[in-house]
Amino acid sequence: MELRKRRGLMTALILVNIGFTAVFLLIRLIGHAFAPYANPPAGGDMIFEILVAGFLSTFGFIVAATVGCTAGSRDLTEGMFRHLVVTGRSRLALYLARIPAGLAIVVPLVAIGYLIVCAVCVFAAPAFIDDSNVNIPPGLSLAGFETWAGDHAEPVICLLPYNGPIPGNVACPGWSKSAVAPSQPAPAELEALAVKIASQNYQGYTQILRRPPVSLMIEAGLWIELEAAVGFILGLGLASLMGSRLLPVISIIVLQLILTPILSAVDLPHLQDLQRSFVGLAMTHLEPAGLPLARGVPGISGGVGRPGAAQSLLPESATVAVWVIVAWLAAWTILGAWRMMTRDA
């Protein structure tokens, strides 16, 4: 109840977790509805990856940490700590009660924002598979893919990857899309070349997704909720230990957006164990395999500018990453509770 009464905090929480992504997707939906040729579909696998790995995970962590810092310092900064102590309730119980209370606010809001992203990315996904700027119908077999390529010979020859020479009678004027069949059939030799190119690119075609898989959405949702829970408990413990909100919030932002990316990008042979002990790197190792952008964007979940770099520089098992996260949660909960139990009323 105390957290819900802080309108500024709740407004910021709703805007970051729900508002920004909802407005972004709404603009894309409206743009595609009124100008479908100029604006791509609002959903799809790539939009899902960008929003989940590039926005929801990082800013969800920071906002959850801000809520935790507020819960850990509000009673002290507003002079209510003495009134809580004189009630006779255990100080440990007073501290532990903040964990489910804060998570009851953070977790549902993060879930609502994430469900909006999933719904738009699934129901507003592209109708075609975009491969090298060529619109291809989804779900084609190898024979069907080759037949389609023969009907779209010139766009296939010009746009799909091919190491051989392009015939001189193909102008390649720069198609942007090829969803509509050409009005005139191509010569037989061009159709044969297009079929050959299609057979070489079929494996890549089958790996392109129009919408995120259900398994990825479930794993990514659990991962984002874990990010938010870690951020909240970390902020709660740090704010209780320091007795304020501003400095812990700044410290967590520096940890998430500056220190973690640097430690992920630099290989320190004699300090690898220290690098692995950071919670941001541990969370990166637990990131679902279908979200490479979380490690590819600097400042995002330990991103270092290229996919998979955290694993290549600091190889560790998922078990070790889990234990690092558990250790951080336990340590900051113990420190925060200890400070509340020993603080003068």
Side-chain angles (χ1 to χ4, degrees):
M1 291 178 60
E2 292 178 357
L3 291 174
R4 290 202 307 268
K5 291 178 182 179
R6 300 185 70 92
R7 296 182 179 179
L9 178 65
M10 295 303 299
T11 300
L13 187 63
I14 293 173
L15 283 177
V16 173
N17 287 293
I18 301 176
F20 290 158
T21 54
V23 170
F24 171 77
L25 293 172
L26 179 61
I27 293 174
R28 289 181 61 89
L29 286 169
I30 295 175
H32 182 69
F34 286 94
Y37 294 102
N39 299 285
D45 182 66
M46 182 58 67
I47 295 298
F48 176 81
E49 292 181 4
I50 292 174
L51 289 179
V52 172
F55 185 85
L56 292 180
S57 61
T58 295
F59 290 96
F61 178 92
I62 293 175
V63 172
T66 303
V67 176
C69 291
T70 303
S73 61
R74 180 182 183 276
D75 294 330
L76 185 64
T77 56
E78 296 184 2
M80 296 298 296
F81 183 69
R82 181 188 301 272
H83 298 280
L84 292 177
V85 172
V86 298
T87 61
R89 290 293 304 273
S90 167
R91 295 191 183 189
L92 178 60
L94 292 174
Y95 179 85
L96 295 179
R98 287 162 167 76
I99 297 177
L103 292 179
I105 294 176
V106 171
V107 171
L109 288 178
V110 172
I112 292 173
Y114 180 70
L115 288 176
I116 292 174
V117 172
C118 291
V120 173
C121 289
V122 170
F123 294 106
F128 294 88
I129 292 179
D130 191 344
D131 186 2
S132 300
N133 209 29
V134 180
N135 275 345
I136 307 174
L140 296 178
S141 63
L142 177 58
F145 187 51
E146 292 175 347
T147 301
W148 178 90
D151 294 335
H152 300 76
E154 291 190 359
V156 169
I157 294 173
C158 290
L159 298 176
L160 289 188
Y162 176 58
N163 295 327
I166 296 178
N169 59 340
V170 180
C172 291
W175 290 275
S176 59
K177 297 293 177 185
S178 62
V180 181
S183 57
Q184 296 180 354
E189 62 272 13
L190 295 185
E191 291 187 7
L193 178 58
V195 170
K196 177 182 178 181
I197 295 175
S199 64
Q200 295 175 354
N201 287 273
Y202 181 72
Q203 183 176 1
Y205 158 79
T206 59
Q207 296 175 353
I208 299 176
L209 302 176
R210 291 188 301 124
R211 56 174 64 94
V214 175
S215 59
L216 176 60
M217 290 190 289
I218 294 175
E219 293 175 1
L222 295 175
W223 180 65
I224 288 178
E225 293 288 10
L226 179 60
E227 285 263 17
V230 170
F232 173 80
I233 295 176
L234 177 60
L236 177 64
L238 187 59
S240 178
L241 183 65
M242 301 180 69
S244 64
R245 183 178 67 166
L246 180 60
L247 188 57
V249 170
I250 295 175
S251 300
I252 291 174
I253 293 175
V254 171
L255 172 68
Q256 180 74 355
L257 299 183
I258 299 178
L259 291 181
T260 299
I262 291 176
L263 291 176
S264 299
V266 178
D267 186 9
L268 303 175
H270 301 292
L271 297 176
Q272 285 190 353
D273 290 338
L274 178 62
Q275 291 177 264
R276 293 191 186 97
S277 65
F278 274 75
V279 69
L281 272 69
M283 288 301 304
T284 300
H285 282 284
L286 295 183
E287 171 204 349
L291 298 177
L293 292 177
R295 292 187 298 271
V297 181
I300 304 301
S301 296
V304 295
R306 61 189 188 278
Q311 274 76 2
S312 62
L313 286 178
L314 297 171
E316 69 175 4
S317 64
T319 303
V320 174
V322 169
W323 279 113
V324 169
I325 296 171
V326 171
W328 273 71
L329 296 180
W332 285 107
T333 300
I334 292 172
L335 289 173
W338 167 80
R339 189 67 186 96
M340 175 172 281
M341 295 171 64
T342 58
R343 177 176 283 116
D344 293 335

